[in-house]
Amino acid sequence: MIEFVVIVESSADARTATKLADRTLVQKIDWLDPEMLQHLYQWSGLEAGTENSCWKNINQIIAHIPQIFDRI
């Protein structure tokens, strides 16, 4: 499954951005139905088990990049 990383200022921004992206993909790709989205990709943060990452924590996240990429 494809994983898209979401880096935002707040969880509300993440919800808005991901819903807008979902809607745009469905509108622009003829064969894509909303019901298919959950099977094609997922939104996540840089750290395992997170739905998004916050810009204010980016230095801490960068310090852990080797561990982040070990999970890929």
Side-chain angles (χ1 to χ4, degrees):
M1 177 177 292
I2 296 171
E3 183 176 20
F4 291 111
V5 174
V6 181
I7 301 176
V8 292
E9 290 189 24
S10 71
S11 294
D13 292 340
R15 286 188 299 274
T16 301
T18 56
K19 295 300 178 197
L20 180 60
D22 286 342
R23 190 172 75 206
T24 301
L25 289 170
V26 169
Q27 288 177 352
K28 296 294 182 181
I29 301 173
D30 294 337
W31 55 265
L32 191 59
D33 293 322
E35 299 80 28
M36 298 170 64
L37 298 178
Q38 66 182 349
H39 304 291
L40 299 174
Y41 61 86
Q42 64 183 14
W43 302 106
S44 72
L46 285 169
E47 296 176 311
T50 60
E51 293 182 5
N52 58 70
S53 291
C54 184
W55 276 116
K56 70 179 180 180
N57 301 328
I58 200 69
N59 289 332
Q60 178 184 10
I61 293 168
I62 289 170
H64 292 89
I65 283 180
Q67 293 130 349
I68 292 169
F69 286 104
D70 284 343
R71 73 181 179 138
I72 297 176

